[in-house]
Structure formats: structure tokens, C-alpha cells
Amino acid sequence: MRADTGNQTVIFVCSFNSVRSPIAEGFLRERSAGKYSVCSAGIAPIRVRPGAIRVMREINVDISAHSPASIYQYRNQDFDYVVTLCDNIRTTAEEVLKGGDRFIHHNFVSPQEIGRPPEETLGDYRQVRNEIGLWLEETFPQPLQDLPKGTSVNGPDRATTRHTDGDHHK
């Protein structure tokens, strides 16, 4: 993947490439302003879950065309970031994706792991979407080149004007 672009490359990995990793891929692709080239994969990929598509559409991110991918198809590629999103894939990802420069791990519970009936899981999809979105904002901040002069950043994507004249009004 790195050979195709000058951008930093990121792969998100989870068990089935059906909820967490497509959500993360959709978020980062949408919000990164082209800074990252993004893909996702799973150990046993299946089609993206309708609940994941629905909750991402609620925030104007379309992941409906997502094609499930196997982690093994990326085994000979180098990535700037290999991001595992569930505990049970972490070791396998580190073994298969040895060309990764940085491995990042954060476990997110998938709605299927909670065990509610399908008609009751939409709230769980929203929760995992929101958790992933917040975590990605901190982990992969947006490019800062478009911030106005005299701006500083107080945490990821929280720009404030810096007082430079000694006048500190409250």
C-alpha cells in the first residue's frame, strides 16, 4: 500500500471486518483530509453488518460499498500503522502484518458480542461508532496546516486562539 501513495498508510483489523474495522476505516477516510490512505481487514471476513452501515449513514459516512478483506491478502504490504480493534486479533495481526511500522491496539466490543436480539442492537452500534470516532480523533488528529496563524491546539482538533500580546481576558 505504501508504494501507491505518499500519504501515511493505516490498516484497521478486527475479527470479521464487518463492524469495527469498516467503521474505523470510514471515519478516518472521511475525516483525514487525504492525510491517510486507509483500508481494513479481518481474520474471517464477512459482509458489513447492516447496523454498521445504518449508524454511519446517520453521520453522513457511507460504508455500504465496503468489501470485506482478509488480513492475509495484506501480509506482504508495509503499513505506517496497523490498528487492531479487538483483543482476539491482536497477536495474529502482529504475526501476519510484520511490515507495520507502528502497532496500535484498542479493544472495542462489537454489538454481536453483547448478545442482544438483532432488533435491539441499534443503540449498541451507535455506541461502538461513537467510541471509535472519539478514539480516532485522539489517535489520528486531522492535519493542522489549515489552522489560522496564531492558533494552538488544546488536544486533538480543539483549536483555540492564543493570546500573544500579553492581554489575557477571562
Side-chain angles (χ1 to χ4, degrees):
M1 192 167 181
R2 188 175 290 141
D4 300 335
T5 178
N7 298 341
Q8 292 185 318
T9 56
V10 180
I11 184 169
F12 292 103
V13 185
C14 68
S15 300
F16 302 109
N17 194 217
S18 65
V19 176
R20 295 165 286 200
S21 54
I23 286 174
E25 178 183 357
F27 264 124
L28 193 58
R29 186 181 313 278
E30 184 72 24
R31 295 181 176 175
S32 72
K35 180 177 179 182
Y36 302 101
S37 292
V38 188
C39 66
S40 64
I43 190 79
I46 60 174
R47 68 177 176 77
V48 67
R49 302 267 183 188
I53 293 170
R54 182 173 174 185
V55 299
M56 291 302 283
R57 274 196 182 133
E58 291 174 355
I59 60 166
N60 299 316
V61 177
D62 185 6
I63 62 170
S64 63
H66 176 76
S67 296
S70 170
I71 188 175
Y72 297 102
Q73 75 188 60
Y74 295 106
R75 78 170 53 228
N76 296 319
Q77 295 186 26
D78 296 336
F79 292 92
D80 294 301
Y81 298 94
V82 175
V83 184
T84 52
L85 302 172
C86 58
D87 289 340
N88 59 340
I89 191 71
R90 185 178 188 175
T91 302
T92 303
E94 290 175 357
E95 291 171 359
V96 174
L97 302 172
K98 293 181 182 192
D101 290 342
R102 297 171 200 93
F103 285 83
I104 301 171
H105 175 74
H106 191 288
N107 186 57
F108 293 97
V109 175
S110 180
Q112 288 72 33
E113 294 171 348
I114 296 171
R116 295 183 217 253
E119 63 274 4
E120 297 176 15
T121 62
L122 198 54
D124 299 328
Y125 279 98
R126 286 185 184 111
Q127 181 174 342
V128 76
R129 174 202 64 198
N130 295 343
E131 290 172 358
I132 290 171
L134 288 171
W135 182 75
L136 286 174
E137 285 179 10
E138 295 172 1
T139 307
F140 295 95
Q142 292 185 15
L144 302 178
Q145 67 266 21
D146 295 327
L147 293 177
K149 213 172 191 179
T151 300
S152 63
V153 176
N154 296 332
D157 300 340
R158 290 172 185 83
T160 58
T161 303
R162 183 178 23 192
H163 296 281
T164 56
D165 60 0
D167 185 19
H168 300 282
H169 298 286
K170 294 189 179 187

